[in-house]
Amino acid sequence: MSGVPHVSNWLSGAYVSSSAERIPVVNPANEQIIATIDATTQDAVHQIVRDSVSTFKSGLWACADAPERYAVLSKAATLLRARIPEFVELETRQTGRPIREMRAQLARVPEWLEYFASLARVHEGRVTPFKGPVINTLTRLPLGVVAQITPWNHPLLIAMKKIAAALATGNVVIVKPSELAPLSVLRMGEIFKEAGLPDGVLQIISGYGRETGKFLCESPLLAKIDLTGGISTYRAIAPIAALNMVPMTAELGGKAPVCLFPSLEVEQAVKAALFASFIASGQTCVTGSRLLVHKDIYDDFMQLLERRVKELRLGDPKDARTQIGAVINKASVERCSAFVERARNDGGTVVCGGQPATIEGKGFFFEPTIIETHAGADLACNEVFGPVIAVVKCDSEDEIIRIANDDTPYALGASVWTNDFNQAHRVAAKIEAGIVWVNGHHLNDPSSPWGGFKESGVGKENGQEAFESYTKLKSTVINYGVQPTWFDPEIAEGARYG
């Protein structure tokens, strides 16, 4: 494609093309091709995995001491922070998200590198209270070569959550970013190299998920797979991983309830709903995509919500005034339209929005949409991954809790909004979700474990839980006084067996 830059895989410390086939990366806001990437073949993937195993066994990084890992990851954070404006522009172009959102989100991404660098530096083993003259030390070791499959909706943030934890613990990492938005992740290779990461410790490969991602996850040489994606992707990968005895962490999506109670001022409730529902045009795993509103504030809430949603500025993501950007592609527009149509057929009422949109005839946009529906409806139960939000009127606290827990197979995030202190604690304790926010939504920190229950996945990102998930625990038992006399001809009284 003449004039379109090609971005090759990042392999062994350099950009190296691994395939003659090219995949276009499209700006969803104007449908322009902004780059091409490799469609990495099966043979190439297998060779990359073998090379990565050799790198791990060399001990270049696996045996590096904690101060060295700390220094490299900390420097990478400093280098990334200095280049945030460049990554903001790139993420805006490849995802279609408003630049205002990207500036806020990416400014925090270096914190993940700093947090896991610090964990690596201060992490200590343990000595158990083993009975007798025995010292039992517990140490954590890197797993080996780990595969990370990352999505398009938060390309750099989610990749960095995974990469930072895996590198901090000494693993060799192979990242396969989504072919829809891989460019920011590919650019991180050069930052890690400049920071001093040994060549080959971080490999970044491109390709279609159904091909390159599948080839990677099929390898029996992997020590772990960390996936953020859909349940169908997990179900395709998990049986193969199980056969190869490769453990998995999987973050698979959600249908977050936003529980709005009558002690809340209506204006605050509407602000809460807007923030929970329309960040990233609803394309996040914790989008507040079902508003469970107590009947005592329902009518006033709906009147103000309709006005505020109609006022949201849908437009060019590069314009700092834009509040609603693009969805990722045409298929996403069609998915949103299909949900709206099913909601109508299910007895729902479209309060506002409900239509595809363009900017000057181009781009993949969908109007921010609010639909009044009922518990158990398709829209109230299933993930849209777009700006189409279900509103359900609820009669009581108990009904809000029941619908929040029972109406969907997902249990990733939920938020409880109330000015009643006792109610906040009571409801949060009863909500079944991996993350429950009280009077907040979308709040994230590298120290705070992130992951859900039920079909929202297994395992955690963030925190010590993620750090330890990239390690294997070794127990060393040092005997300095228990004599092996068990089978002596005359067994001493009190001889120890175990």
Side-chain angles (χ1 to χ4, degrees), residues 281-320:
S281 296
Q283 297 173 117
T284 80
C285 50
V286 292
T287 292
S289 54
R290 49 191 181 127
L291 308 178
L292 308 184
V293 186
H294 195 281
K295 65 179 182 179
D296 290 355
I297 59 169
Y298 187 84
D299 291 341
D300 290 341
F301 172 84
M302 288 303 298
Q303 183 178 3
L304 181 57
L305 179 67
E306 179 180 358
R307 178 168 66 80
R308 289 295 308 276
V309 171
K310 287 178 177 178
E311 291 172 352
L312 292 175
R313 292 188 295 272
L314 183 150
D316 182 355
K318 300 192 300 298
D319 186 336

Side-chain angles (χ1 to χ4, degrees), residues 155-177:
L156 194 62
L157 172 62
I158 293 178
M160 208 52 55
K161 282 182 176 183
K162 301 179 190 299
I163 292 170
L167 290 181
T169 45
N171 297 284
V172 170
V173 180
I174 305 174
V175 184
K176 209 299 284 184

Side-chain angles (χ1 to χ4, degrees), residues 4 12 16 31 33 49 55 61 71 79 127 140 161 189 211 220 225 236 260 295 307 331 333 346-347 351 432 445 481:
V4 175
S12 300
V16 179
E31 303 180 51
I33 297 173
V49 174
T55 299
W61 188 247
L79 294 170
V127 176
R140 290 195 172 272
K161 282 182 176 183
E211 296 173 356
I225 297 169
L260 299 165
K295 65 179 182 179
R307 178 168 66 80
V333 173
D346 219 0
V351 176
E432 186 176 5
D445 190 88

